[in-house]
Amino acid sequence: MLLPYLYANPNWFGHGSRCLTPLDDAAVLRRWQEQWGAQLFFATGPYLELVVDRPPLDPRGDAQAATELFAYCGDTVQDAVRAGNGMARSTMWSLWWD
């Protein structure tokens, strides 16, 4: 399982009022694992930290990752262009929800 015990963890309460289910989260994170080697590193409160083994380095991959990060976590990624120029290329993706 990609997210062992994440939803039984009282320290991670997820993404606030967003209407995502644990299955939605698992699907997104599984896709990122397959595409970019993203692995869940840390989860607490409204925060998720992912270590990314193969971040996108080309413009098309940057745009794709930034768009997906923006769609999943608009609280962190408020500007997809900036995310594509920075966060998407990083080996650490830090996400938080209000």
Side-chain angles (χ1 to χ4, degrees), residues 2-75:
L2 180 65
L3 304 172
Y5 308 110
L6 179 62
Y7 294 98
N9 180 351
N11 295 324
W12 190 71
F13 50 77
H15 30 68
S17 62
R18 302 253 340 258
C19 295
L20 297 175
T21 69
L23 290 176
D24 296 326
D25 293 318
V28 168
L29 297 178
R30 185 176 304 112
R31 179 183 160 21
W32 291 349
Q33 178 189 32
E34 292 168 358
Q35 184 75 24
W36 297 296
Q39 295 287 328
L40 179 64
F41 175 72
F42 182 73
T44 189
Y47 300 95
L48 282 183
E49 300 279 336
L50 304 167
V51 174
V52 185
D53 293 335
R54 300 179 310 276
L57 300 176
D58 63 305
R60 185 176 185 176
D62 288 345
Q64 179 182 353
T67 300
E68 291 182 20
L69 285 162
F70 176 74
Y72 182 65
C73 187
D75 291 344

